[in-house]
Amino acid sequence: MTEFTEVRQRLTYFERYSHGAPDRLDEIVALQRGVIGRRIHLIASACYPFDSVLRALAEPSFVLPAEGMPGARYLPGAEVMDLVEDSGESLVLKLFGGAEGYRATLQPHSGTQANQIVYNAVLKPDDTVLCLRPRDGGHISHSVLLSRRQRTINYDLTFEGNLDYADLREKAIAHRPRLIIVGGSALPRSIDFETCGRIAHEVGSLLHADVSHTATFIAAGLHPAVFPHCDFVTFNTVKNLRGPNAGILIYRSEFETSVHASIFPTTQGGANESGMLGKLACFLEWQTRDIRTYAKDVVACAQSLGRTFVDRGVRLVTGGTDCHMLLLDLRDHGCSGAAIERRLEALGVLANRNLVPGDPRSPSETSGLRIGATNLAILGYEQADLDVLGNLLVDALRDEPPPPTTVVEHLVDKYQRHLMTPLW
């Protein structure tokens, strides 16, 4: 903590008194490296990328704009980006077993942009969308952003916190939505996409799966397949695929014309060329790595932490997890997610506050805490250290005397030293 404060003070000094951009940049980079290298990173919405992804992001690909689609650019000099996109599309579909009858694009700037590309491709102003509310685990782009222009109806969860497929079907029949969205940002369990596809087909709706948090587990075969049940699949490669913070869209081939028009110029400007190269690097990595073993390791780390929580009387939404994510319900402990987030950060552990189903608190306070285990698997945490970390988290939740600073420092030193490579 002291090191972080000193760097922050030096940065303030340079902001006030130095006009040297390189010096100022060095200070900012040092500050960021300190956060990355000296904190235990349990934020579920991001993970450590492959080194090749970092190298790709450092390339000046953006110097040659690539507006438009491969083979139909608006500016010259985009031949290499054509290769990047064509290769990337092939690798994305291959990762999911081929996905016959589908196309993919690397162009969305983010997962949210990928979602908006779908909306702009298929929705008219008077269309209805059926989705999960953010308070129940849905992403804000599914309803908060979308409801500004569309009529949105929300389906519910079961008492245990799982998707209520009966309610989904009942509301789909009652409202006949143009689009049904499944998936979210705080759903610890897998989704039955085949059942969702049958419901959508029954009422003549399109089905959109946002699998940003679960694409890895679907591709690994640990979760039910999305194809051929969904018309659109979106995700961000930063969650646990070890790619950049950027989006992917997979869609049925019949929507190619409308999707291309929605990408540019309707939804976003030109492509993020460096981001697309970073995504290609990510998918190239998965050609030579065992994604199934990796996904199993991630789930095992999450479930190990989950057992510690349950054994010590901490309630988990859905009682556990099928992925990298644990959602702690803090309502029995009398403290907010925001308070625990701050308490953990003071110990050197990063996890984020999160709403839980039926949450009486605001999104800025919340009654839940979301924990991601992806980085623990990437770093190779051993079971004994997972137990130490899990108990440290429970002690912090209960506001018990904090552990010696050496506990977190030991875990950081043991597992994160190799993060501080020249690339970082």
Side-chain angles (χ1 to χ4, degrees), residues 186 188 302 305-306 308-310 313-320 325-333 335-337 340 344 351-357 359 366-372 390 393-394 396-398:
L305 289 179
T308 299
F309 290 128
V310 172
V314 178
R315 182 177 180 272
L316 301 179
V317 175
T318 76
M325 184 193 311
L326 295 163
L327 188 56
L328 281 59
D329 188 333
L330 308 177
R331 285 176 289 191
D332 293 339
H333 298 271
C335 53
S336 70
I340 301 304
L344 288 175
N352 69 279
R353 63 189 181 276
N354 208 94
L355 294 167
V356 295
D359 202 325
T366 80
S367 299
L369 186 78
R370 187 179 66 166
I371 291 175
L393 296 172
V394 177
L397 166 63
R398 294 179 172 175

Side-chain angles (χ1 to χ4, degrees), residues 376-396:
L376 304 179
I378 291 172
L379 297 173
Y381 263 63
E382 299 170 356
Q383 184 60 55
D385 291 319
L386 289 171
D387 293 340
V388 168
L389 178 59
N391 282 293
L392 181 151
L393 296 172
V394 177
D395 289 344

Side-chain angles (χ1 to χ4, degrees), residues 151-168:
R151 178 174 178 251
T152 57
I153 305 295
N154 299 127
Y155 54 88
D156 294 325
L157 301 176
T158 65
F159 176 77
E160 295 79 14
N162 298 307
L163 258 66
D164 189 334
Y165 298 100
D167 185 67
L168 174 59

